[in-house]
Amino acid sequence: MSSRKKTLLKVIILGDSGVGKTSLMQQFVNNKFSHQYKATIGADFLTKEMLIEDKNVTIQLWDTAGQERFQSLGVAFYRGADCCVLVYDVTNSKSFENLSSWKDEFLIQANVKNPDNFPFVILGNKIDLEENKRAITTKKALSLCESLGNIPYFETSAKENVNIEVAFDIVARNALQQELENDAEFNEDYSDAINIHINGEQSGCAC
Amino acid sequence: MGTHKNTLQSQEKSPNLSNGGSLSDAVTNPLSLTKSNDNSNDNLNINLNNSSPYNSLRKKKISTYPPGKAKLLWTKSKVYIHLTKNKSDNISGFLSLIKVYPTSINNEILLTWFPESTLSNSNDRAIFESCDLYINLNQYKSNYNSNNHDNHNFPNSFNTNKKKVFFINSSILQSMGAYSFQTPLSNIFSIQARVPSLGWWWGSIIINSRSQFDTFPILFFHDDESISTQKEQKFKNKDFNPFSSNNEGQLFWGGDQFFTILKKYILVERSSLDSSFFLINPNSDDLNYTKLVTTDYKSINKNDPNNQGANNNNINESIEKIRHTLQNISVNKIVTSAKWTILESLARVSMLAKSKVDELVEENPKVKALLNKPEVVKINNDFDTARVYLAKWALAISEQAEKNKIDLILDKNYQNLLNKELGGNFSNLSIQEISKIHRRKEISPVEWSSFFDSNGNLILTVNEVKERIFHGGLNETIRSQAWLFLLDVVPWDSSTFERNQIIKSLRSDYQHYLNLWKIDIEEKQKDEYWVDQKFRIEKDINRTDRDLSLYKNPKKSSTQKDKQNQSHNKDENNDNDNDNDNDHNDNDDEEHNISNIKNEHLKNLREILITYNEYNQNLGYVQGMTDLLSPLYYIFQDNALSFWCFAKFMERMERNFVRDQSGMKNQMLVLTELVQFMLPELYLHLEKCDSNQLFFFFRMLLVWFKREFEFNDTLRLWEIFWTDYYTSEFHLFFALSILSKHEVIIKRHLRQFDEVLRYINDLALTMDINDLLIRSELLFLRFRRMIEIIDRENDMKERAKMYKVPNESEVETEVETETELENDINNASTSNNINPRINRINANRISKTKTFKPSEQKKPNESTSDKKNKNYKISESLRALLSKEIVVQKEVEREPGMGGG
């Protein structure tokens, strides 16, 4: 049954304001980059169809505002997440230091069942900027990722489309794994959902 | 459906009919048994019947046309192409069927569209216009007569037996303007129709050519401007028979006229795969394919609804079957060719904005479905309910709203009372009501100066000026004066001299706050919080309204205006000052380099915000403030004045930015109450979608719709909000108007939290500000009247209790206020006077008040008698919406060491 079901993977992208969350999402989904993205207010999402292990999945990426106080809104979108992407800006050490609090915040707010097993991916963005602006070395980043529980780490450039596909492929794989685990728990609910749907379906359209 | 059955039977008997091939497949398919109930095949019999006039037409005696003339068979005015999203780029034109030669040898009928402006000759235009009216209404008349025995509703002019024939100069066909097109009917592969009811104000058609190289623009039927459509609509309304089964839910639109006439001249077959698709002269392959798939699909949906548990296997089997079918026919002509035609047309209609195209694919579920090999994907998709959960605080809001709900949604007695007094259904704004009101012209500089005497004292009342601004807005050139009043930077009752004095002292005050950080900037750099705030500000001004030329990096030397400003703006970053002359070659990256802001105006924005951070230390800078400052700065381009306007504006906006977000939560809570009160049905639907906490309004409320409209529209909107003419919370009514406008679509098409969010987010930059302003005004007036009526009603009940008068007459009292709403606003009119039919229905409804059983919103444990004696209590938060007093909520004190996040 689950092999036939269309899978929706919900992914939350978090990180300090201005690290490039919107840009990463736009590059991955729409293959474009612009300097003109405005600061995200509220929340928005993009979806993309992907093929993961011969399975068609829809990945739904949620983008929220980076300033902390607006996270009380973001919370609404954390629930039911299958994976969380934490982003920092390699030229901004503060955004790096905040990674672990973003992670903790997410786990608390999303009310995840198995916090130890919940998949995260960390992205160090803006590697296109000059080397001398870089504040966080790859080594430092890797050691943090290890200490946070062997979180997969990628260095990306949303601007020049570096490592984006690769990173989101891992995001989707991990999310799918998580979704399948959740799926098993919710299996009972599905048969109901199907029947309700079939009965409510309307055919044709007046035109 | 009697005739329909006959048609089917006759087909089954004669499978050799050109389009009957599918039926043999259908018959052998056990799943197709349900087919005879399927309405979407109605067209089939129409087509079969209509093929006879088509043939007889050919047989008609061929007369000759006057020299140089072509015959105009049919035309329709006010058919538009939309070049961009911008309304002013729409082009109005005529869609016509033209027969050029009378001979049967060259019998081609041309379908053409050309702009109105092509018809420079007024005679030509008159011919098209009278043809539009005559043919379309005659068409309706003849249909009508065939269905009804009497035709007393028709004006005499249409009862004439003599058919008018319209000839036009053939030369028109050669001299059609830009964007026009013409194509023989036989060249058309399919036409896709989108009726207005699908959520589009205008219905549209997309014509797909058989040739891969012809693409045609999407044609929009502006029915609201077309006289012939309106007339026909009027007739239809007159003939409206509420018990007729034919009329259900079918919205009449201009496209109906087009298809009716088209069927006279060529075979039009509705695709049963996608009922918005009409195949033109399809060959049997096309039909064969579409029927086969449809049969399978439909029959699945009709699986016995009572047999809930047992049919999973059936469904799975059926899905397999469909999957199999689709796999085997993936090379089938319709898929490849329809898909390609659509894709090609979309991709190559270069005159349409890309966004328009995306919109079309994205938002028309049908097109999308077809492109994705629809049925399998769709069914699978629907099984997966993508659950989106509520947040903690959203939950709190929902719970609270739930608690209030019993009281907030009006019971039937009150609803009936309101329906009676306000006319029609109180929660719907009728089209007539809206179209009666127009926004006024913006205030010109001349008009503005006429408001003041020679000393600059106001000679009108403040309310009069505000009323004028509320209804028309301000010309851009006077905003820099008027906004100072609106934002309470200078008092209305002051002379020019006094105002100059005030401004002078404001400038020095600004300098004071500026100096707080600027004089000892090195000391400030040591304060982590301050550096943090500065960094936030810089990041955000770098991405605020950078598409405005004002905020782009200077390519040449500074403009005059910049130079003016420099007197107040000795920049703190002296190191950057020298760069100004050297940056002719700055590239895009440089333009967005935070550490090196070059545009003077961006520097000024930074200065103002850092100063505000000093001025309001508890609040500081919070994301979104750049959006509020940028329009003010754009108008004033003066740091001190922009700062004080911003500071005043922030007095009412501060609640949006406080750390615990309580100001936003409160507003959203009030808005949910307002939706329950004003749009109860929509509220119940949003509840089903987990969207009743109205998250999707967050962005709109936070920065007052700045992200939803073009920059200039935002300026207009804000100056209207600032007047507080009706209420200081008019922005909530404006938000309500957006919901009200999209109520039908939301209720009909949106089911889930993410769908609602997507839909509302995507409204950004597509909404018409004037339309919404009219709606919000009407909604406010209605809101005020509702409160009055309910108060009065409660008052009556109280008195009745006191004097122990039997409360028999509680519904039937005081009708004299009926026209008050109408007088509230110039030319505003309730639907009461406009649509006598609706009025009659209402009258009926009211006379039956006591037995009237509401079909919806019935709450399980609610007994009518209980409710009847209970007064509906208007909540304090709703009543507060009548106040013009600005709501102020300040940020609590910032503890030392606390960050600015």
Side-chain angles (χ1 to χ4, degrees):
Chain A
M1 173 107 174
S2 63
S3 66
R4 210 167 270 130
K5 192 170 62 69
K6 184 76 182 185
T7 306
L8 182 95
L9 303 176
K10 182 171 171 180
V11 175
I12 315 293
I13 304 183
L14 297 177
D16 278 11
S17 163
V19 296
K21 297 181 291 294
T22 306
S23 298
L24 283 165
M25 230 174 76
Q26 287 287 350
Q27 180 60 267
F28 174 62
V29 176
N30 295 325
N31 290 103
K32 61 181 184 188
F33 175 81
S34 157
H35 280 292
Q36 303 277 356
Y37 297 129
K38 300 182 172 184
T40 304
I41 297 179
D44 203 354
F45 64 88
L46 290 176
T47 56
K48 182 171 175 152
E49 308 281 329
M50 293 177 80
L51 192 67
I52 302 293
E53 292 160 6
D54 291 333
K55 188 173 166 62
N56 277 312
V57 300
T58 304
I59 187 165
Q60 190 180 56
L61 299 167
W62 285 82
D63 184 18
T64 56
Q67 190 158 5
E68 287 156 48
R69 70 186 62 192
F70 293 123
Q71 289 306 312
S72 68
L73 170 86
V75 166
F77 313 102
Y78 291 2
R79 302 235 175 166
D82 298 305
C83 180
C84 176
V85 180
L86 303 172
V87 187
Y88 77 97
D89 169 355
V90 295
T91 68
N92 174 352
S93 52
K94 187 129 199 174
S95 71
F96 178 75
E97 288 153 20
N98 284 337
L99 283 175
S100 72
S101 51
W102 279 114
K103 176 173 177 268
D104 295 344
E105 185 76 0
F106 173 82
L107 287 173
I108 295 164
Q109 306 281 22
N111 200 11
V112 172
K113 281 208 179 108
N114 276 322
D116 294 340
N117 296 330
F118 189 87
F120 287 89
V121 171
I122 289 180
L123 306 182
N125 192 34
K126 305 198 187 179
I127 56 164
D128 50 277
L129 296 178
E130 300 101 274
E131 193 58 37
N132 61 15
K133 287 190 177 168
R134 191 154 171 161
I136 304 297
T137 61
T138 308
K139 196 178 160 197
K140 194 171 174 190
L142 280 171
S143 92
L144 179 84
C145 292
E146 199 188 328
S147 73
L148 288 178
N150 287 323
I151 296 177
Y153 174 67
F154 295 91
E155 296 194 338
T156 58
S157 161
K159 180 167 175 262
E160 284 164 9
N161 196 3
V162 178
N163 270 342
I164 308 287
E165 291 289 332
V166 155
F168 279 100
D169 187 67
I170 292 296
V171 169
R173 277 168 202 277
N174 290 345
L176 181 61
Q177 190 60 38
Q178 175 75 8
E179 169 74 12
L180 291 176
E181 282 167 25
N182 285 343
D183 215 28
E185 298 173 32
F186 288 113
N187 222 355
E188 278 181 22
D189 298 341
Y190 277 114
S191 52
D192 285 346
I194 290 165
N195 292 323
I196 289 161
H197 169 70
I198 289 297
N199 298 332
E201 177 75 20
Q202 294 166 351
S203 58
C205 140
C207 136
Chain B
M1 286 297 103
T3 51
H4 178 62
K5 242 180 197 161
N6 290 340
T7 317
L8 259 180
Q9 279 165 7
S10 71
Q11 279 177 0
E12 280 163 14
K13 281 175 198 158
S14 52
N16 290 334
L17 272 177
S18 66
N19 52 4
S22 61
L23 281 155
S24 52
D25 290 350
V27 168
T28 55
N29 187 334
L31 288 169
S32 70
L33 289 174
T34 50
K35 189 179 172 187
S36 55
N37 293 328
D38 183 359
N39 290 343
S40 69
N41 277 338
D42 272 3
N43 269 70
L44 196 62
N45 72 52
I46 294 168
N47 290 323
L48 292 173
N49 294 342
N50 280 357
S51 60
S52 51
Y54 174 56
N55 290 333
S56 64
L57 203 115
R58 294 179 137 196
K59 284 175 205 151
K60 263 189 190 159
K61 185 179 66 167
I62 295 156
S63 53
T64 49
Y65 290 179
K69 299 280 185 181
K71 191 170 167 185
L72 183 61
L73 300 172
W74 173 84
T75 189
K76 180 134 203 68
S77 63
K78 302 297 173 191
V79 176
Y80 279 69
I81 61 175
H82 293 181
L83 292 185
T84 66
K85 281 190 176 185
N86 195 333
K87 273 191 172 169
S88 57
D89 292 339
N90 295 348
I91 302 178
S92 169
F94 288 95
L95 178 66
S96 324
L97 291 173
I98 295 172
K99 196 165 171 187
V100 184
Y101 305 103
T103 61
S104 59
I105 306 153
N106 196 336
N107 204 23
E108 278 293 33
I109 293 171
L110 295 180
L111 177 69
T112 74
W113 181 90
F114 55 83
E116 268 171 20
S117 57
T118 306
L119 300 175
S120 49
N121 179 334
S122 63
N123 271 345
D124 289 341
R125 189 165 171 152
I127 292 173
F128 275 86
E129 279 168 357
S130 55
C131 174
D132 178 9
L133 219 54
Y134 178 85
I135 302 273
N136 285 316
L137 294 184
N138 246 352
Q139 182 64 40
Y140 175 61
K141 192 194 99 185
S142 60
N143 285 347
Y144 178 86
N145 285 344
S146 62
N147 295 330
N148 297 270
H149 297 297
D150 58 339
N151 60 353
H152 60 271
N153 277 330
F154 274 93
N156 290 332
S157 56
F158 293 108
N159 282 334
T160 163
N161 286 326
K162 199 175 164 200
K163 283 230 161 115
K164 277 194 202 168
V165 180
F166 296 88
F167 286 111
I168 54 166
N169 293 321
S170 311
S171 58
I172 292 176
L173 291 169
Q174 269 90 60
S175 62
M176 298 196 299
Y179 303 116
S180 62
F181 65 85
Q182 46 180 288
T183 180
L185 285 187
S186 59
N187 190 34
I188 299 176
F189 172 72
S190 71
I191 300 179
Q192 197 195 2
R194 180 158 61 190
V195 300
S197 65
L198 274 174
W200 294 80
W201 200 245
W202 299 296
S204 59
I205 59 170
I206 303 166
I207 299 165
N208 297 308
S209 165
R210 285 184 189 276
S211 147
Q212 301 282 325
F213 302 103
D214 286 342
T215 54
F216 307 120
I218 302 170
L219 299 174
F220 293 85
F221 288 74
H222 285 216
D223 290 341
D224 48 338
E225 297 167 40
S226 160
I227 299 170
S228 63
T229 311
Q230 301 244 309
K231 285 220 159 146
E232 188 166 340
Q233 233 151 17
K234 222 163 142 191
F235 289 148
K236 278 194 151 58
N237 285 343
K238 273 190 192 162
D239 304 336
F240 178 76
N241 173 3
F243 303 108
S244 151
S245 57
N246 296 334
N247 287 330
E248 45 185 348
Q250 296 256 1
L251 191 71
F252 169 76
W253 67 295
D256 288 343
Q257 294 172 330
F258 171 63
F259 283 108
T260 310
I261 203 84
L262 197 63
K263 282 169 190 166
K264 286 183 112 168
Y265 296 108
I266 199 155
L267 184 65
V268 179
E269 175 72 57
R270 175 180 287 193
S271 157
S272 32
L273 177 68
D274 179 338
S275 61
S276 68
F277 251 88
F278 293 85
L279 301 171
I280 307 300
N281 242 358
N283 61 31
S284 53
D285 274 0
D286 299 342
L287 290 169
N288 193 357
Y289 167 72
T290 60
K291 295 259 167 57
L292 182 67
V293 173
T294 317
T295 307
D296 278 8
Y297 175 56
K298 291 259 158 67
S299 58
I300 286 169
N301 289 328
K302 298 205 164 158
N303 257 340
D304 183 6
N306 299 321
N307 187 5
Q308 291 207 359
N311 56 11
N312 278 353
N313 287 338
N314 276 346
I315 294 166
N316 290 339
E317 267 170 40
S318 312
I319 293 170
E320 268 318 309
K321 201 162 254 166
I322 291 181
R323 199 193 292 276
H324 184 73
T325 315
L326 284 172
Q327 268 161 8
N328 287 334
I329 50 170
S330 60
V331 288
N332 188 291
K333 188 177 169 194
I334 178 116
V335 171
T336 33
S337 118
K339 182 172 161 181
W340 277 106
T341 320
I342 296 166
L343 276 176
E344 295 271 341
S345 345
L346 290 179
R348 290 205 265 126
V349 180
S350 55
M351 63 182 94
L352 287 172
K354 165 92 171 68
S355 55
K356 197 92 217 164
V357 173
D358 285 346
E359 195 171 276
L360 200 105
V361 179
E362 267 309 305
E363 294 194 18
N364 186 335
K366 301 236 154 109
V367 174
K368 207 177 179 184
L370 188 72
L371 294 187
N372 292 346
K373 289 235 198 112
E375 316 313 338
V376 175
V377 175
K378 186 164 179 292
I379 288 175
N380 280 344
N381 256 343
D382 288 341
F383 283 3
D384 186 344
T385 28
R387 290 290 304 159
V388 187
Y389 297 92
L390 300 178
K392 272 185 188 162
W393 71 264
L395 210 60
I397 289 180
S398 310
E399 279 165 4
Q400 199 168 340
E402 184 66 32
K403 265 188 233 153
N404 295 344
K405 194 175 82 181
I406 311 292
D407 292 323
L408 284 173
I409 291 192
L410 291 159
D411 71 57
K412 277 293 156 185
N413 286 329
Y414 282 99
Q415 289 199 6
N416 287 334
L417 181 68
L418 291 167
N419 284 345
K420 181 185 164 193
E421 297 218 10
L422 300 176
N425 180 344
F426 78 92
S427 67
N428 289 342
L429 290 177
S430 70
I431 304 286
Q432 287 95 331
E433 212 173 341
I434 293 158
S435 64
K436 277 286 164 184
I437 301 175
H438 298 281
R439 304 264 321 149
R440 294 175 64 190
K441 264 203 307 212
E442 65 180 21
I443 300 172
S444 69
V446 175
E447 189 182 353
W448 175 255
S449 59
S450 76
F451 295 168
F452 300 88
D453 67 15
S454 54
N455 292 325
N457 284 310
L458 197 63
I459 49 179
L460 305 180
T461 64
V462 175
N463 202 47
E464 282 168 324
V465 179
K466 286 186 167 180
E467 189 275 338
R468 187 62 187 89
I469 296 173
F470 181 88
H471 285 111
L474 295 153
N475 179 279
E476 176 153 349
T477 55
I478 51 172
R479 283 188 169 132
S480 60
Q481 298 167 56
W483 284 14
L484 293 173
F485 293 100
L486 285 172
L487 287 164
D488 200 27
V489 173
V490 298
W492 289 94
D493 57 345
S494 57
S495 65
T496 311
F497 176 76
E498 287 163 336
R499 288 194 290 273
N500 286 339
Q501 292 301 106
I502 293 171
I503 288 171
K504 212 170 143 190
S505 87
L506 286 176
R507 287 195 191 287
S508 81
D509 288 351
Y510 176 68
Q511 200 58 43
H512 162 75
Y513 288 109
L514 183 62
N515 289 341
L516 287 180
W517 60 275
K518 213 167 191 179
I519 285 189
D520 200 353
I521 196 156
E522 293 193 351
E523 189 58 32
K524 279 284 175 190
Q525 299 279 15
K526 292 178 194 156
D527 177 354
E528 198 191 344
Y529 169 75
W530 189 86
V531 173
D532 234 39
Q533 289 294 70
K534 179 167 174 285
F535 182 59
R536 273 180 219 282
I537 290 168
E538 285 168 346
K539 238 176 353 194
D540 286 352
I541 56 171
N542 240 311
R543 42 184 182 163
T544 301
D545 297 326
R546 295 302 301 279
D547 47 336
L548 295 176
S549 61
L550 182 72
Y551 298 133
K552 284 184 178 149
N553 261 3
K555 299 286 176 212
K556 298 170 219 125
S557 58
S558 321
T559 62
Q560 266 194 333
K561 202 134 201 181
D562 295 337
K563 279 176 184 150
Q564 267 174 23
N565 277 331
Q566 282 173 7
S567 53
H568 329 289
N569 300 324
K570 284 279 171 241
D571 200 275
E572 86 275 18
N573 286 14
N574 290 323
D575 51 333
N576 287 345
D577 274 355
N578 303 332
D579 293 349
N580 264 340
D581 298 323
N582 305 329
D583 57 13
H584 298 266
N585 298 324
D586 62 344
N587 59 23
D588 202 33
D589 283 344
E590 269 305 297
E591 173 141 356
H592 294 272
N593 185 345
I594 299 174
S595 54
N596 191 11
I597 294 170
K598 288 183 177 154
N599 176 308
E600 276 309 314
H601 303 289
L602 294 186
K603 287 182 188 171
N604 292 338
L605 290 179
R606 172 174 62 186
E607 179 189 290
I608 294 166
L609 287 168
I610 296 177
T611 308
Y612 185 78
N613 183 50
E614 239 20 82
Y615 170 79
N616 186 347
Q617 296 200 352
N618 289 332
L619 187 63
Y621 173 79
V622 184
Q623 229 167 48
M625 287 188 190
T626 48
D627 280 294
L628 299 186
L629 174 62
S630 148
L632 298 172
Y633 181 82
Y634 176 85
I635 292 301
F636 291 101
Q637 297 188 27
D638 171 310
N639 289 15
L641 290 182
S642 306
F643 172 83
W644 285 111
C645 282
F646 177 69
K648 284 289 188 176
F649 187 19
M650 279 307 296
E651 283 182 13
R652 62 158 91 208
M653 299 306 271
E654 181 158 357
R655 58 176 169 161
N656 288 8
F657 297 98
V658 295
R659 186 170 285 101
D660 68 1
Q661 293 284 291
S662 56
M664 283 301 291
K665 290 173 201 172
N666 285 337
Q667 284 177 83
M668 286 166 74
L669 191 56
V670 174
L671 191 55
T672 55
E673 287 188 22
L674 192 59
V675 176
Q676 287 177 75
F677 187 63
M678 301 287 290
L679 307 171
E681 291 179 23
L682 178 65
Y683 180 81
L684 293 172
H685 181 80
L686 288 173
E687 203 170 41
K688 282 184 213 150
C689 307
D690 282 346
S691 299
N692 52 327
Q693 36 6 59
L694 309 180
F695 274 134
F696 43 84
F697 276 131
F698 187 89
R699 182 172 76 192
M700 301 197 203
L701 297 186
L702 188 84
V703 292
W704 269 16
F705 307 92
K706 166 109 181 328
R707 300 284 180 91
E708 326 305 315
F709 293 97
E710 300 289 350
F711 193 76
N712 284 324
D713 282 346
T714 310
L715 306 182
R716 172 60 40 85
L717 193 62
W718 287 6
E719 66 200 10
I720 286 166
F721 288 169
W722 288 330
T723 63
D724 301 318
Y725 177 62
Y726 285 121
T727 163
S728 59
E729 303 285 278
F730 196 69
H731 60 288
L732 296 182
F733 288 87
F734 192 76
L736 186 70
S737 76
I738 294 174
L739 278 185
S740 155
K741 183 173 171 81
H742 297 273
E743 174 168 13
V744 177
I745 305 155
I746 295 172
K747 285 202 299 209
R748 221 179 270 174
H749 300 288
L750 306 179
R751 304 261 147 77
Q752 288 172 11
F753 177 85
D754 50 355
E755 288 175 351
V756 177
L757 184 84
R758 165 91 292 130
Y759 182 80
I760 302 277
N761 272 357
D762 287 354
L763 290 177
L765 304 181
T766 67
M767 295 183 284
D768 176 357
I769 190 174
N770 285 322
D771 174 64
L772 291 172
L773 282 168
I774 289 169
R775 284 168 183 274
S776 9
E777 181 171 6
L778 285 167
L779 285 166
F780 176 81
L781 293 174
R782 185 167 289 199
F783 169 78
R784 197 168 66 186
R785 282 288 291 137
M786 284 167 68
I787 290 195
E788 281 169 18
I789 292 169
I790 290 167
D791 282 350
R792 191 195 66 209
E793 182 66 14
N794 290 345
D795 194 42
M796 294 281 301
K797 283 184 181 173
E798 285 303 313
R799 266 190 258 174
K801 257 187 230 163
M802 262 162 74
Y803 297 107
K804 304 223 183 309
V805 175
N807 54 0
E808 196 55 283
S809 60
E810 63 190 34
V811 182
E812 302 284 340
T813 43
E814 289 185 47
V815 199
E816 81 268 22
T817 50
E818 200 161 341
T819 51
E820 267 177 29
L821 176 59
E822 192 179 351
N823 297 334
D824 273 341
I825 185 175
N826 269 356
N827 296 328
S829 173
T830 64
S831 54
N832 242 350
N833 303 332
I834 292 191
N835 197 333
R837 188 172 59 77
I838 290 179
N839 214 9
R840 266 205 313 281
I841 292 172
N842 281 333
N844 275 338
R845 208 182 271 168
I846 287 159
S847 67
K848 289 183 204 154
T849 298
K850 284 190 180 136
T851 52
F852 181 66
K853 286 266 184 323
S855 57
E856 63 259 312
Q857 296 175 30
K858 215 180 154 199
K859 287 179 216 86
N861 296 325
E862 175 190 310
S863 98
T864 348
S865 57
D866 271 5
K867 271 285 181 181
K868 196 162 182 178
N869 294 323
K870 204 177 143 197
N871 283 4
Y872 176 87
K873 189 106 170 63
I874 310 247
S875 75
E876 283 314 305
S877 42
L878 280 185
R879 200 180 290 280
L881 295 180
L882 295 172
S883 164
K884 299 179 185 182
E885 204 75 16
I886 294 173
V887 183
V888 175
Q889 184 194 349
K890 307 284 282 178
E891 175 65 295
V892 294
E893 210 173 311
R894 192 174 61 87
E895 286 163 33
M898 190 185 247

